[in-house]
Amino acid sequence: TKPGTPTLKVESGTKSASLSWNNQSGATGYVVYMATSKDGKYSKIATVKGNSNITYTKKSLKSGKTYYFKVRAYKTVEKTNIYGSYSSIKSVKVK
């Protein structure tokens, strides 16, 4: 079975964005994606391993610019990653 869908929260920091989400039962880790427009191309920016560390801070962002994030959980079964659904997209205007 696939892991559940995380609920993402994003807060603006000084040239950074702090992300947090709820942990999903049985997840091996989480993959974080970012774009510069809501419908733009999302790039993988981080893999957060483990199920207790459910935060990530993206640094070196430009002040005054809006960024878009989404996250999904994955579970490793016999060396294969099974991915859950993406969270809702959250935007943040960086301080």
Side-chain angles (χ1 to χ4, degrees):
T1 56
K2 295 194 298 187
T5 306
T7 301
L8 178 62
K9 290 182 186 169
V10 183
E11 291 182 14
S12 176
T14 305
K15 295 186 179 178
S16 68
S18 297
L19 287 68
S20 62
W21 54 88
N22 57 333
N23 71 331
Q24 299 301 308
S25 178
T28 305
Y30 301 85
V31 185
V32 182
Y33 301 84
M34 183 181 84
T36 52
S37 66
K38 186 170 185 178
D39 298 323
K41 183 176 175 0
Y42 284 80
S43 300
K44 181 168 92 169
I45 58 167
T47 300
V48 179
K49 292 189 174 158
N51 203 13
S52 56
N53 183 11
I54 50 170
T55 61
Y56 176 75
T57 302
K58 174 63 177 164
K59 297 177 180 168
S60 305
L61 298 174
K62 289 184 180 167
S63 293
K65 196 164 168 55
T66 300
Y67 295 88
Y68 298 83
F69 297 92
K70 60 186 179 180
V71 65
R72 65 178 173 170
Y74 70 91
K75 180 166 69 172
T76 305
V77 179
E78 295 175 5
K79 299 183 183 174
T80 301
N81 289 341
I82 299 167
Y83 292 92
S85 300
Y86 290 105
S87 67
S88 300
I89 294 166
K90 299 289 180 180
S91 65
V92 65
K93 188 170 184 180
V94 174
K95 293 176 187 170

